[in-house]
Amino acid sequence: MGIQKDVSSKIKSNKELYTLILIGGLYSLSTALSNTFVNVYLWKQNEALMDLGIYNLAVVLLQGAAFLAAGGLAKRVDRIIVLRIGVCFLATFYLVVLMFTSTSRIYLVLIGSLLGLGYGFYWLAYNLLTFEITEPETRDFFNGLQGISGSFGGMVGPFFAGYVISSLTGDTGYLIIFGLSLSLFVVAVICSLFLQKRAAEGKYRLRDVMMERKQNRDWKRITYANYSQGLREGVFVFIISVFVFVETGSEMALGTFTLISSGISFLAYFLVGKYLKVKYRKTSMLVGAMLLYAAIAFLVYQVSYVKLLIFASIIALAYPLLFVPYMSLTYDVIGRAKEAASYRIEYIVIRELYLNAGRATSILVFMGIILLLPEPIGIKILLLGAGAGHVFVYFFVRKVAMGNND
């Protein structure tokens, strides 16, 4: 009871924790409003899956480059500034989408690059702040609450956006939604003013942290797990929304799909964040990973809107089971690693580089399959292959020590 009270006291007194969750919530709502529909918006231009591959590949490649640059910058300036730079890139992305509409692939690369730069700077700073503001005892709570705020945004944003887009003619609805996303990012910048300044010192030693993988098995396992995570996320992050739109022909149906998925996820994140104990983390990850892979069965044979809803419901339950303990375990490993206090930026950059390498691999394979095989067959093969990524996440982290004395 004494330990629980101490943890509860730390949570209640940590105002920055709630400010960071608010910023994350605004980010989630903004991206939920628009990003669910950006791929559909681009696909509608000429109904070419290859164009989606080009756009999403630009996103992940520039995201990796941005992480490298943001990590070096965070060693010299306040990481809150890095966070704001990321938000500014994201805002610029929506401005460009609002101002220019084009089917050229140069345009796809441009907007994909802007989004990737925004993601890289934002997530480097956000992950770094998460590592610094939370402690091992409060990380499951934070990750659970962050998941709740993200799920709430996922419930409200796409449903509202789907209604607006479906109710208006032409691209008017899309332009309104992209404008709202831009406004939310402005509010996120204002909220960042309430976070304490956090400067870092020392040289940017990425090579030393990369070489640490040879000495620290847990760190090596975490990097491999992040690559495996990226293998699934690279394609699944955009192909499912296109599946739903192609099957229904309705942005409103896509919004409803996301509402149902996020509603279930909202409840699941709350329960996992509140009740999951450290000793059950790995069991939770195994169950979540197996459910995520099993759900793919609903995507590979006679896809229908009902089957897509069942798929969405299963993954909404499974993601919190996997990701709440997985993210907590990742930060714990970094916290125990050699010279973590001095090199925390480098550890987070390397982690994200592996994650984006997995995403890029997945998208490149997707593009190759589109060129070499008939789309229906190729997509099924890709889903079954890339979908195993989260199973490999568990495979790599199952031997990671749960604490300093394990």
Side-chain angles (χ1 to χ4, degrees), residues 171-185:
D171 291 337
T172 304
Y174 281 102
L175 298 180
I176 290 173
I177 294 303
F178 295 156
L180 284 174
S181 292
L182 175 62
S183 301
L184 288 171
F185 280 123

Side-chain angles (χ1 to χ4, degrees), residues 3 15 22 40 52 65-66 71 92 100 109 123 128 136 154 204 234 255 257 266 311 316 329 345 359 373 390:
I3 295 176
K15 294 181 180 178
L22 176 59
V40 171
L52 295 184
T92 304
F100 305 103
V109 172
W123 281 113
L128 187 58
Y204 193 34
F257 170 88
F266 180 92
F311 167 82
L329 189 63
I345 292 174
R359 290 169 176 161
L373 296 174
H390 287 146

Side-chain angles (χ1 to χ4, degrees), residues 109-279:
V109 172
L110 171 62
I111 61 172
S113 298
L114 285 171
L115 187 61
L117 289 170
Y119 280 164
F121 278 89
Y122 173 86
W123 281 113
L124 184 281
Y126 193 87
N127 288 338
L128 187 58
L129 289 166
T130 298
F131 178 73
E132 294 174 343
I133 290 174
T134 64
E135 301 176 45
E137 299 84 5
T138 61
R139 280 178 188 144
D140 282 343
F141 171 83
F142 176 86
N143 289 325
L145 197 56
Q146 183 60 50
I148 289 172
S149 67
S151 297
F152 179 77
M155 288 167 53
V156 175
F159 185 78
F160 174 74
Y163 174 78
V164 171
I165 293 169
S166 299
S167 300
L168 300 172
T169 59
D171 291 337
T172 304
Y174 281 102
L175 298 180
I176 290 173
I177 294 303
F178 295 156
L180 284 174
S181 292
L182 175 62
S183 301
L184 288 171
F185 280 123
V186 173
V187 177
V189 171
I190 295 172
C191 290
S192 71
L193 297 173
F194 296 94
L195 293 172
Q196 293 180 8
K197 292 183 177 180
R198 296 171 183 271
E201 298 178 352
K203 295 182 179 180
Y204 193 34
R205 298 188 179 274
L206 277 180
R207 185 177 182 278
D208 290 349
V209 172
M210 178 66 80
M211 296 301 292
E212 176 65 12
R213 295 171 68 252
K214 294 184 177 181
Q215 309 297 326
N216 186 334
R217 290 184 178 180
D218 282 353
W219 173 231
K220 184 177 182 178
R221 290 165 180 150
I222 288 296
T223 56
Y224 284 153
N226 275 271
Y227 179 82
S228 300
Q229 177 189 343
L231 286 176
R232 175 173 171 125
E233 289 183 357
V235 171
F236 276 75
V237 75
F238 67 87
I239 200 68
I240 301 302
S241 60
V242 175
F243 271 11
V244 175
F245 181 78
V246 170
E247 183 64 30
T248 63
S250 167
E251 285 90 354
M252 189 66 220
L254 177 55
T256 303
F257 170 88
T258 310
L259 172 67
I260 294 171
S261 173
S262 297
I264 296 171
S265 184
F266 180 92
L267 178 61
Y269 268 112
F270 171 77
L271 294 174
V272 173
K274 185 174 179 63
Y275 295 110
L276 180 65
K277 296 181 180 179
V278 172
K279 64 180 179 179

Side-chain angles (χ1 to χ4, degrees), residues 57-67 109 112-118 120 356:
L57 184 62
V59 172
V60 298
L61 291 179
L62 268 294
Q63 186 172 344
F67 263 105
V109 172
S113 298
L114 285 171
L115 187 61
L117 289 170
N356 273 285

